[in-house]
Amino acid sequence: MHLSLNARFRTRPVTGVERFASEVTKRLVSIADVDIHEILPGSSLAGLKGHAWEQFVLPRKVDRDTVLFSPCNTGPISVHRQLVVIHDAAVWDCPDAFSRSFRTLYQNLLPALAKRAAGIATVSEFSRLRLAKHLNISPEKIHVLGNASGPSFSLGSSEGVSEGVSEGSSEGSGRRDDPNSGPTLLCVGSLDPRKNIGRLIEAWIELSRSGRIPEGARLEIVGSAKPSNFSHFEMVDVPGIHWIGRVNDQELVQRYRNADAFVFPSLYEGFGLPPLEAMASGCPVLLSSEASLPEVGGPAFDPADLDSAGAATYFDPRSVSEMASAIESMLNLDAAKRKRLTENALAHASKFSWGKVAERTFLALESL
């Protein structure tokens, strides 16, 4: 197979979409008889300049005997023999999360691509159904490729773990070695309203004020900006909330492995990588029950059943009280139940791999 790659993502900061493109492309080249020709601009082109390059310059560089792979939501409308990966339908489902210009562009570009491109793909069943509705095409015409966490997040990997940082106990809990510190609850999320960090802060404040969390407990928020952005919440700087900011992959791996639990209160995700990364790192997961997240988290864990096969505990992300109760229960989980939940999460996370995603991508490309 001769493949042309829309590699504009190489010039952009790495988010989940760019990581998907990089990991899949890396593994496609290892599949027999796949030859990839990457096409990218000479410099980073943001906004309309990037879209202009993609629509008018990129098509002239695509070889006639190749299939074009566009893994990051957009691609040239003029190229028919193309597989475009559209990761979610958020521009329709969550329009207020985007600027008017961005929303207008994507709401017009994506339907045109769906009509013109020979193949459309996405990363979850949830996104497949939402895209089918908004693009007015049959769900059967959309390939579901899936997603995965990187190998450095695997509990058995030493990659990204610095000296002096615990890789997890023999039970795989990844808990802190300091017996004087309280339990740590980790969250990874941005200021995007869909990430729902505001309600998480409210839930923590509720628990703190009522004395329902263990002494010394910490809520670490990775990825969000300064707490001043949440100034409309009373007492946002209550003891126990630690704003970490953006971190590199190495530090993120360490924080997953050192946390006692991970919470992800998002209202909308096309897939949602952080919970899967946490599971692969041996960190018990508290997960929103919305959108694609039950696909990522798998069956619900039943703490009343020691033989439960569930891999995550779910809550309604729109209910502050339910979120608070879920956090309280998780931080007070006994050792046997925590061990079972962690083992289930590790087993569930092992079902996701970039190799499998690359194989599905190859089959989708081959069908064109």
Side-chain angles (χ1 to χ4, degrees):
M1 178 189 294
H2 297 289
L3 185 67
S4 291
L5 175 67
N6 178 354
R8 185 160 72 99
F9 67 90
R10 300 282 193 205
T11 67
R12 300 197 300 245
V14 177
T15 66
V17 171
E18 287 76 24
R19 190 183 300 278
F20 169 92
S22 178
E23 295 289 350
V24 170
T25 302
K26 185 191 308 181
R27 286 159 179 81
L28 275 176
V29 298
S30 66
I31 296 177
D33 301 324
V34 177
D35 175 47
I36 298 180
H37 172 221
E38 294 198 7
I39 308 171
L40 68 162
S43 61
S44 178
L45 298 176
L48 290 177
K49 289 183 179 179
H51 288 292
W53 176 88
E54 196 170 59
Q55 296 301 322
F56 303 111
V57 178
L58 172 60
R60 299 201 300 268
K61 298 185 177 184
V62 176
D63 296 334
R64 291 173 178 255
D65 62 341
T66 67
V67 174
L68 176 64
F69 180 38
S70 295
C72 294
N73 290 317
T74 62
I77 297 173
S78 61
V79 177
H80 170 66
R81 201 174 177 207
Q82 174 184 196
L83 178 68
V84 181
V85 184
I86 304 175
H87 291 251
D88 59 50
V91 290
W92 290 283
D93 290 338
C94 308
D96 293 342
F98 304 94
S99 67
R100 183 177 180 180
S101 59
F102 184 97
R103 182 174 66 241
T104 301
L105 172 64
Y106 274 68
Q107 286 180 350
N108 285 278
L109 174 60
L110 298 186
L113 268 174
K115 184 176 181 181
R116 174 63 177 164
I120 299 294
T122 191
V123 293
S124 68
E125 286 292 337
F126 169 78
S127 288
R128 181 173 73 95
L129 294 176
R130 300 307 299 160
L131 286 168
K133 176 182 183 295
H134 292 296
L135 298 175
N136 195 28
I137 60 178
S138 169
E140 285 70 31
K141 292 185 177 180
I142 303 176
H143 303 271
V144 177
L145 305 179
N147 227 318
S149 61
S152 62
F153 293 98
S154 172
L155 191 61
S157 170
S158 60
E159 184 179 346
V161 179
S162 300
E163 184 178 355
V165 177
S166 169
E167 293 185 40
S169 70
S170 59
E171 295 181 356
S173 67
R175 301 181 68 181
R176 294 178 178 273
D177 291 330
D178 182 1
N180 297 315
S181 66
T184 296
L185 180 67
L186 178 67
C187 176
V188 176
S190 69
L191 291 179
D192 187 323
R194 293 173 295 172
K195 301 301 181 181
N196 203 29
I197 301 297
R199 284 194 181 95
L200 174 60
I201 294 172
E202 289 185 87
W204 188 265
I205 291 173
E206 179 180 311
L207 290 170
S208 179
R209 284 176 171 171
S210 59
R212 292 161 55 198
I213 51 177
E215 184 178 353
R218 300 163 54 93
L219 170 61
E220 295 184 346
I221 303 177
V222 170
S224 292
K226 296 179 181 178
S228 57
N229 290 285
F230 291 91
S231 58
H232 56 292
F233 290 105
E234 183 184 0
M235 290 182 63
V236 73
D237 288 324
V238 295
I241 297 181
H242 297 261
W243 300 84
I244 308 302
R246 294 182 63 86
V247 301
N248 59 30
D249 280 359
Q250 182 181 33
E251 184 175 347
L252 184 58
V253 168
Q254 294 173 1
R255 290 190 179 276
Y256 279 134
R257 296 187 187 183
N258 282 337
D260 292 84
F262 175 81
V263 62
F264 200 65
S266 184
L267 298 170
Y268 189 95
E269 296 287 336
F271 183 86
L273 271 178
L276 190 60
E277 292 171 346
M279 287 183 171
S281 302
C283 184
V285 168
L286 277 165
L287 193 54
S288 160
S289 58
E290 292 289 302
S292 63
L293 294 173
E295 290 182 56
V296 178
F301 178 71
D302 180 4
D305 179 10
L306 264 181
D307 294 323
S308 174
T313 298
Y314 293 93
F315 58 86
D316 178 357
R318 290 180 170 80
S319 171
V320 172
S321 61
E322 186 173 325
M323 193 187 309
S325 295
I327 292 171
E328 179 183 15
S329 297
M330 177 63 79
L331 293 183
N332 288 288
L333 207 61
D334 67 45
K337 293 174 182 176
R338 177 178 295 277
K339 180 176 184 292
R340 181 67 180 183
L341 177 55
T342 300
E343 290 172 345
N344 292 351
L346 288 168
H348 181 71
S350 69
K351 299 175 184 177
F352 298 80
S353 76
W354 286 119
K356 292 179 180 178
V357 177
E359 289 172 6
R360 296 185 197 108
T361 304
F362 174 79
L363 292 174
L365 290 163
E366 191 177 46
S367 71
L368 305 187

